[in-house]
Amino acid sequence: MRVLFAARDTLWTDWAPALTRLAPEMELIRADDQADPASIDAIVFAPGGPVSDLSPYVNARLVQSLWAGVERIVTNPTLTQPLARMVDPGLARGMAEFCTGWCLRAHLGMDAYAQDGVWRHDLSPPLADARRITILGMGELGRSVSAMLGGIGFRLTGVSASARPVPGVEVLGPGDLRQALSGAEILVNLLPDTPQTRNLLDADRLSWLPRGAWLINPGRGTVLDEAALMASIEAGHLAHAVLDVFRTEPLPPDHPFWSEPRITVTPHIAAHTRPETAAPVAIDNIRRALDGRPVLHLVDRRKGY
């Protein structure tokens, strides 16, 4: 099988050995190899690479994304092939660890213990089963995060378009968003970027959160109205926000988030796609497509994910 590696050159060093080791029968081709597009059986794709026009690859049976987010390819008008998003167990584990770490920081009130000689013996936190956490988005990442948080004992509410049951989580539909937010002492956003989710967390909906709530956003920057968040923080309604994703990345040095002590900026590091755990997913899906078997994690283009 001939597979086109349509991703940045910087990714080749790590990904090419991981992919070819699992599929020695595969000929992995770079875009600058000038291979006949009609000879390509599948495409491994990541945004920012050398290929944007997918129309010449008329015989490619699958475009396998290397990233979980597909918003930068799903709207490509030249995409006619089936598109699969990456569901990497290593990425899901990394996201769960990121969210759990920051939720514990918020829950335990770690920032309250300034090293200034003051004995703050009255600032002991409640146990986890008294802390309410809401997770927006209960897909693969949301379920992974909820499993880790639930293992600690947190009281979990999830919001899901499908409202599919998740063990240990009270799952609500989008119509119950106000109920889900009003009970969220900690809010974790894992929603994808779609027309329905953009600016979902605006001034009105942020006001539904309890006073003193924390917001953790490792999902998509477009879900959050940045001006509304700053206003809520400055008014003292939200206690803190941990932001890993932004409308503009890298976040400009003069952006007000950097200088606001109640906002923690992390540089889009909540979860990485790791070749050692993601390559098996990609190879399995390519083989499925070429064998005529069902492909995993196909993108619904109407929904955008």
Side-chain angles (χ1 to χ4, degrees):
M1 59 182 173
R2 304 191 87 197
V3 176
L4 176 68
F5 188 80
R8 298 190 303 273
D9 287 342
T10 53
L11 299 177
W12 175 265
T13 302
D14 291 331
W15 278 96
L19 292 167
T20 55
R21 184 168 53 250
L22 293 167
E25 78 280 13
M26 175 182 64
E27 183 182 1
L28 191 62
I29 299 168
R30 303 176 83 162
D32 56 8
D33 289 341
Q34 298 182 340
D36 177 10
S39 71
I40 299 300
D41 297 309
I43 300 171
V44 172
F45 183 91
V51 176
S52 57
D53 183 3
L54 298 166
S55 58
Y57 303 98
V58 292
N59 294 318
R61 302 186 197 177
L62 179 68
V63 175
Q64 173 64 58
S65 174
L66 292 184
W67 306 155
V70 294
E71 62 271 8
R72 292 175 61 183
I73 181 176
V74 73
T75 56
N76 186 329
T78 70
L79 175 68
T80 58
Q81 306 85 350
L83 171 66
R85 60 191 176 88
M86 174 55 67
V87 177
D88 168 21
L91 184 149
R93 174 69 186 231
M95 180 65 81
E97 291 180 2
F98 178 92
C99 293
T100 298
W102 288 105
C103 284
L104 281 171
R105 174 183 167 184
H107 165 64
L108 296 174
M110 291 179 176
D111 298 332
Y113 303 102
Q115 302 302 291
D116 54 5
V118 177
W119 189 259
R120 296 177 175 86
H121 187 64
D122 59 331
L123 297 181
S124 58
L127 296 177
D129 60 5
R131 183 76 68 190
R132 298 171 298 169
I133 298 178
T134 292
I135 302 170
L136 300 182
M138 293 304 299
E140 295 287 339
L141 295 180
R143 292 195 295 275
S144 182
V145 170
S146 69
M148 193 170 287
L149 291 173
I152 296 171
F154 289 111
R155 293 168 54 194
L156 302 176
T157 298
V159 176
S160 166
S162 67
R164 181 173 57 179
V166 176
V169 183
E170 180 189 9
V171 179
L172 304 176
D176 297 314
L177 182 60
R178 183 161 195 157
Q179 176 186 342
L181 294 182
S182 64
E185 296 172 272
I186 302 171
L187 176 65
V188 178
N189 174 56
L190 295 171
L191 291 171
D193 175 24
T194 70
Q196 292 73 36
T197 65
R198 287 169 199 151
N199 289 315
L200 181 73
L201 295 177
D202 57 11
D204 187 36
R205 295 185 182 94
L206 289 175
S207 73
W208 297 348
L209 291 165
R211 188 172 184 84
W214 277 54
L215 168 64
I216 300 169
N217 184 22
R220 285 293 180 262
T222 54
V223 175
L224 179 64
D225 182 328
E226 293 185 351
L229 172 66
M230 281 297 294
S232 182
I233 288 282
E234 291 170 350
H237 185 73
L238 286 184
H240 201 99
V242 179
L243 308 178
D244 187 61
V245 288
F246 308 90
R247 292 172 184 267
T248 301
E249 294 185 6
L251 190 67
D254 59 350
H255 196 287
F257 285 168
W258 288 111
S259 57
E260 171 52 64
R262 292 164 292 184
I263 292 178
T264 299
V265 171
T266 59
H268 205 143
I269 48 81
H272 285 294
T273 303
R274 295 167 170 82
E276 63 270 22
T277 55
V281 178
I283 292 299
D284 178 47
N285 246 1
I286 291 170
R287 285 178 172 149
R288 284 171 173 269
L290 299 188
D291 293 344
R293 293 181 288 131
V295 172
L296 303 177
H297 318 305
L298 276 177
V299 171
D300 184 332
R301 298 188 197 182
R302 295 169 300 172
K303 295 180 179 178
Y305 61 94

